[in-house]
Amino acid sequence: MPINGKTSSANSRWMNSDGPDAGIVISSRIRIARNLAGVPFPHLLEPEKSMEVINEIKKALENKEAADLIGNMELTLMNDLSLLERQILVDKHLISLELLNNFQSRAAAIRDDEAVTVMINEEDHLRIQCLFSGLRLKEAWAVVNNIDDGLERTLDYAFSEKLGYLTSCPTNTGTGLRASVMLHLTGLKITNQLGGVFNAISKLGLTVRGLYGEGTEALGDLFQISNQITLGQSEDEIINNLISITKQLLAQEQESRQVLYRERREVIEDRVCRAYGILKCARILAMEETMRMLSDLRLGIELKIISGIQEKLINELIVKIRPAFLIKTAGQDMSKRKLDIARAGLIRKEFENGHIGH
Amino acid sequence: MPINGKTSSANSRWMNSDGPDAGIVISSRIRIARNLAGVPFPHLLEPEKSMEVINEIKKALENKEAADLIGNMELTLMNDLSLLERQILVDKHLISLELLNNFQSRAAAIRDDEAVTVMINEEDHLRIQCLFSGLRLKEAWAVVNNIDDGLERTLDYAFSEKLGYLTSCPTNTGTGLRASVMLHLTGLKITNQLGGVFNAISKLGLTVRGLYGEGTEALGDLFQISNQITLGQSEDEIINNLISITKQLLAQEQESRQVLYRERREVIEDRVCRAYGILKCARILAMEETMRMLSDLRLGIELKIISGIQEKLINELIVKIRPAFLIKTAGQDMSKRKLDIARAGLIRKEFENGHIGH
């Protein structure tokens, strides 16, 4: 499927909510940065030379002998997509923010299940990412590693024996690996434990970001935890470290929810049911409020207060309620007020089958 | 029916919402103050003498020759009722706050449809009130006037040719008449016009109070408008004056609603539907929030945004959601939190059949 076909639906594989502990670990993501040896980094490239990089990588992706490792990956030039389409791909976490605004001589290939993206001429010549539901960093790493091996059959990577993979930004040099998990930490938020938890995380060499990466707000109590260090640790060490910390966070979050439900059951039920009532009934829903309500609702589904609404739907809605998707669906640009009305309308429709209780 | 039977239901006649303009004019009330000639006012009476007053009025109420004017009115001593039962009668607007706390040697008779109450040894020896749904001050006055005439067949009232009926508090002297309407002025509230409107009303010799009279808050945008002057105007003048002003207020309120619905339709729909969603779903509902939501819901019913919920039910709920009724229903005393949970439970049950749209 060409990439723009992926901008009219919201069913990326990470949304499926079928991975381990996917109720709290919304997604796991691995991405690596690679550059071609002897070619300047993308921001230093002339357009013509950038196109040569794209073509070289295109060939490597289509190489028949590497097909078992790479799979079927069809490249699309970013300037063949509209701003709206690129924004939807960003919202779906399929391409990076970098490709939203700098789209000339840049390309991406997205696997049909939307679990894998290869980006070309982003910050580095190559960014390969895999995104799965639940805590599945190792599986995501295996997929990325395979594609990396497949591409290396024909591509010559910039690599230093001393430093490892060379990258445009030194914070990626070494393994070029960024491993991250998206966590729904609403229990820790409600019990005011997030500050302490994040403080501890940062001391362990990890970074906490909001839903859409650096500088974005933590909408709906969704937090991205990722490694800061790419140098001096092996890929397995980086991944195992994040898995271990994620499991601790998961246990803390689960514990905080159990405590909440045990000690403040009525308050939590009220919070969840009100969120449900507002989502089912409101006629105007701003983005931030909606994310807050969806967070409460997700908690309610996990605690079995709400039935008939799948977590998969909540994941899809994170994308579908964003301005780009709403505008694409409506087929016309909309004011903030119209967006808020369209958002409320979409949610009412999607939640028709939900109900409180078992 | 003995009075305490009236404390386990909430279906007083004023709640029926069947009177003219009952969507906005919730109720009309007429009460008169009368005293027996030659007997000190109640607060100056010894208990024994107070009982004599009760007995004398009891006889007058039961007088066979006046039965066509008075109807069937059975007296109950206030100290035969529990505090909770008296509170429920206050909440239903059937007896005054005065009888809640000062109940020794005091009595009341309530007609079976709960439209008429005769109170004995309240501030005055006799207080006769009639409470109807909608703008029906004249009809209520006719009922009160009949009972007054009936009682006067055997009772000798304290009356001065110069001043009219003598009363314990000089603000009632003259006609002894207090006429009032309970209005739902939510459109004027939302459009910030209440201040100006109330300012104008006070200049016309009228008083604005909250839902439960003097000193109580205007819960749920419900306001009681009544005459301040009892002397120097005839009963008809007082009543016609209040009717005329009520009609003006009614027109202003209707106009403000139409403007709101025309110019801010989505905002009003959102407000109403959110109130509906919260009432249908919340697990904890404090009194003040509930009254606010019920106010929005009442507006929604009037504007036909909400169907399947009768205004009669909203009127009944004003009483049923109050602490006394909830405690009586539960059969045990409850903390604030338990009351808020019971209130939410009651409302969910009552609103089962409601829905948005036609």
Side-chain angles (χ1 to χ4, degrees):
Chain A
M1 190 201 296
I3 282 185
N4 61 5
K6 301 184 197 310
T7 60
S8 49
S9 66
N11 47 9
S12 308
R13 187 144 162 205
W14 70 265
M15 299 173 191
N16 282 350
S17 202
D18 54 0
D21 297 306
I24 291 170
V25 187
I26 309 305
S27 62
S28 295
R29 177 172 164 268
I30 294 286
R31 75 109 173 96
I32 55 168
R34 297 288 185 263
N35 287 281
L36 302 185
V39 182
F41 291 129
H43 66 282
L44 300 170
L45 282 183
E46 296 298 314
E48 203 178 314
K49 192 67 189 151
S50 294
M51 286 309 295
E52 281 175 28
V53 169
I54 292 174
N55 286 328
E56 194 178 343
I57 294 174
K58 190 173 190 295
K59 263 186 238 155
L61 279 170
E62 290 166 357
N63 181 281
K64 288 228 167 65
E65 283 156 39
D68 54 328
L69 292 167
I70 295 171
N72 180 28
M73 301 286 289
E74 189 186 332
L75 262 194
T76 302
L77 288 173
M78 280 298 108
N79 54 8
D80 287 346
L81 299 179
S82 69
L83 174 64
L84 203 61
E85 288 170 328
R86 292 197 305 279
Q87 180 65 60
I88 291 171
L89 296 177
V90 170
D91 291 348
K92 292 171 87 175
H93 297 283
L94 299 185
I95 65 170
S96 63
L97 256 176
E98 177 79 12
L99 292 189
L100 180 69
N101 301 312
N102 303 316
F103 51 92
Q104 297 297 345
S105 314
R106 282 158 171 83
I110 300 175
R111 206 166 77 176
D112 270 356
D113 66 354
E114 301 181 14
V116 179
T117 304
V118 174
M119 282 171 267
I120 304 176
N121 291 334
E122 205 247 27
E123 214 178 84
D124 298 291
H125 295 141
L126 259 170
R127 288 276 175 108
I128 307 166
Q129 76 158 27
C130 179
L131 195 58
F132 280 149
S133 163
L135 184 49
R136 286 203 294 181
L137 287 167
K138 284 187 181 175
E139 294 83 343
W141 166 237
V143 169
V144 168
N145 201 22
N146 272 341
I147 295 172
D148 192 34
D149 288 350
L151 291 171
E152 223 173 353
R153 288 194 182 172
T154 48
L155 296 178
D156 186 15
Y157 284 155
F159 185 82
S160 141
E161 283 300 332
K162 196 177 155 205
L163 294 173
Y165 293 102
L166 301 178
T167 55
S168 170
C169 176
T171 58
N172 285 309
T173 301
T175 54
L177 179 79
R178 184 82 69 216
S180 67
V181 286
M182 180 73 70
L183 304 179
H184 183 228
L185 301 181
T186 197
L188 293 170
K189 173 80 177 294
I190 296 172
T191 53
N192 292 318
Q193 294 179 77
L194 272 186
V197 166
F198 289 168
N199 198 18
I201 284 175
S202 69
K203 287 179 184 153
L204 295 167
L206 298 177
T207 305
V208 182
R209 295 191 179 98
L211 178 56
Y212 286 98
E214 211 157 353
T216 65
E217 266 181 289
L219 282 171
D221 301 340
L222 292 171
F223 298 93
Q224 221 183 87
I225 318 279
S226 61
N227 63 309
Q228 237 171 340
I229 298 157
T230 55
L231 196 64
Q233 283 187 320
S234 73
E235 287 88 348
D236 285 343
E237 280 172 335
I238 292 169
I239 290 167
N240 285 332
N241 183 38
L242 183 58
I243 290 174
S244 145
I245 290 166
T246 302
K247 283 187 173 168
Q248 283 176 42
L249 286 171
L250 180 65
Q252 282 178 282
E253 173 64 21
Q254 284 167 330
E255 170 63 15
S256 74
R257 291 178 181 200
Q258 289 316 313
V259 169
L260 274 176
Y261 205 44
R262 206 166 50 230
E263 293 173 9
R264 290 155 67 186
R265 182 175 188 130
E266 288 133 348
V267 174
I268 290 303
E269 282 184 348
D270 184 57
R271 183 181 175 124
V272 165
C273 293
R274 277 172 184 252
Y276 174 77
I278 288 170
L279 288 168
K280 287 262 287 196
C281 296
R283 261 46 191 168
I284 300 174
L285 275 170
M287 187 67 200
E288 201 188 318
E289 183 190 16
T290 311
M291 287 298 285
R292 203 161 8 97
M293 299 292 117
L294 288 177
S295 173
D296 288 345
L297 194 64
R298 193 193 289 276
L299 177 66
I301 295 168
E302 279 288 294
L303 293 175
K304 303 203 189 324
I305 298 168
I306 300 291
S307 307
I309 295 175
Q310 306 299 315
E311 276 170 1
K312 182 177 188 300
L313 175 60
I314 311 284
N315 289 341
E316 290 172 8
L317 283 174
I318 293 176
V319 173
K320 286 177 147 179
I321 63 171
R322 294 188 71 82
F325 204 95
L326 290 173
I327 290 168
K328 182 103 196 298
T329 305
Q332 57 180 16
D333 202 9
M334 288 189 276
S335 65
K336 160 92 169 65
R337 170 53 56 86
K338 292 267 182 217
L339 279 172
D340 291 350
I341 292 170
R343 184 175 296 117
L346 170 75
I347 286 188
R348 275 204 308 286
K349 195 164 151 281
E350 296 280 11
F351 284 178
E352 257 172 9
N353 298 320
H355 53 93
I356 294 171
H358 308 279
Chain B
M1 191 200 295
I3 283 185
N4 60 6
K6 301 185 197 310
T7 60
S8 50
S9 67
N11 47 10
S12 308
R13 187 147 162 200
W14 69 265
M15 299 174 190
N16 282 351
S17 201
D18 55 0
D21 298 304
I24 291 171
V25 187
I26 309 304
S27 61
S28 295
R29 177 171 163 270
I30 294 284
R31 75 113 174 93
I32 54 168
R34 297 288 185 263
N35 288 279
L36 303 185
V39 182
F41 291 130
H43 66 282
L44 300 171
L45 281 185
E46 295 300 311
E48 203 177 317
K49 191 71 188 151
S50 295
M51 286 309 295
E52 281 175 29
V53 169
I54 293 175
N55 285 328
E56 193 178 343
I57 295 174
K58 189 172 189 296
K59 262 186 237 155
L61 279 170
E62 290 166 357
N63 181 283
K64 287 228 167 65
E65 283 155 40
D68 56 327
L69 292 168
I70 296 172
N72 180 27
M73 301 286 287
E74 189 186 332
L75 262 195
T76 302
L77 289 174
M78 280 297 110
N79 55 7
D80 285 346
L81 299 179
S82 69
L83 174 64
L84 202 61
E85 287 170 329
R86 291 198 306 278
Q87 180 65 60
I88 292 171
L89 295 177
V90 170
D91 291 348
K92 292 171 88 174
H93 298 281
L94 300 185
I95 64 170
S96 63
L97 257 176
E98 177 80 13
L99 292 190
L100 180 68
N101 300 311
N102 302 317
F103 51 92
Q104 297 297 344
S105 314
R106 282 158 172 84
I110 302 175
R111 207 167 76 178
D112 271 356
D113 67 354
E114 301 181 13
V116 180
T117 304
V118 174
M119 283 171 267
I120 303 176
N121 292 334
E122 206 247 26
E123 216 177 85
D124 298 292
H125 294 140
L126 258 171
R127 289 277 175 109
I128 306 166
Q129 77 159 26
C130 179
L131 195 58
F132 280 149
S133 164
L135 184 48
R136 288 203 293 181
L137 286 167
K138 284 187 180 174
E139 294 83 341
W141 166 236
V143 169
V144 167
N145 201 21
N146 272 342
I147 295 173
D148 191 35
D149 288 350
L151 290 172
E152 225 174 351
R153 289 194 180 171
T154 48
L155 296 178
D156 186 15
Y157 285 155
F159 185 82
S160 139
E161 284 300 331
K162 195 177 156 206
L163 294 172
Y165 292 101
L166 301 178
T167 54
S168 169
C169 176
T171 60
N172 285 309
T173 300
T175 54
L177 178 79
R178 183 82 69 214
S180 68
V181 286
M182 179 74 68
L183 304 178
H184 183 227
L185 301 180
T186 197
L188 293 170
K189 172 81 177 292
I190 295 172
T191 53
N192 292 319
Q193 295 178 78
L194 271 187
V197 166
F198 288 168
N199 198 16
I201 284 175
S202 70
K203 287 177 183 154
L204 296 168
L206 297 178
T207 305
V208 182
R209 296 193 179 97
L211 179 56
Y212 287 99
E214 210 158 351
T216 66
E217 267 180 288
L219 281 171
D221 301 339
L222 293 171
F223 298 92
Q224 219 183 89
I225 318 279
S226 61
N227 63 308
Q228 239 173 338
I229 298 158
T230 54
L231 195 63
Q233 284 188 317
S234 73
E235 287 88 347
D236 284 342
E237 280 171 334
I238 292 170
I239 290 167
N240 285 331
N241 183 40
L242 183 59
I243 289 174
S244 146
I245 291 166
T246 301
K247 282 186 174 168
Q248 283 177 44
L249 285 171
L250 179 65
Q252 283 178 280
E253 172 64 21
Q254 283 166 332
E255 170 63 15
S256 73
R257 292 179 182 200
Q258 290 314 314
V259 169
L260 273 177
Y261 205 45
R262 203 165 54 231
E263 293 174 10
R264 291 156 66 187
R265 182 176 187 128
E266 287 134 351
V267 175
I268 290 302
E269 281 183 347
D270 183 57
R271 182 181 174 124
V272 165
C273 292
R274 277 175 185 251
Y276 175 77
I278 288 171
L279 289 169
K280 286 259 289 195
C281 294
R283 260 46 190 169
I284 300 175
L285 277 170
M287 187 68 201
E288 201 187 320
E289 183 190 16
T290 311
M291 287 299 286
R292 204 162 4 99
M293 299 293 116
L294 287 177
S295 173
D296 289 345
L297 193 64
R298 193 193 289 274
L299 177 66
I301 295 168
E302 278 289 294
L303 292 174
K304 303 206 190 319
I305 299 168
I306 301 291
S307 307
I309 294 176
Q310 306 298 316
E311 277 171 359
K312 181 178 188 300
L313 175 58
I314 311 284
N315 288 342
E316 290 172 5
L317 282 174
I318 293 176
V319 172
K320 285 177 149 182
I321 63 172
R322 294 188 71 82
F325 203 95
L326 290 172
I327 289 169
K328 181 101 195 299
T329 305
Q332 56 181 17
D333 203 8
M334 288 190 275
S335 64
K336 161 92 169 64
R337 171 53 54 86
K338 293 268 180 216
L339 279 172
D340 290 351
I341 292 169
R343 182 176 296 117
L346 170 76
I347 285 186
R348 277 204 307 287
K349 195 165 151 280
E350 296 279 12
F351 284 179
E352 256 170 13
N353 298 322
H355 54 92
I356 294 171
H358 309 280

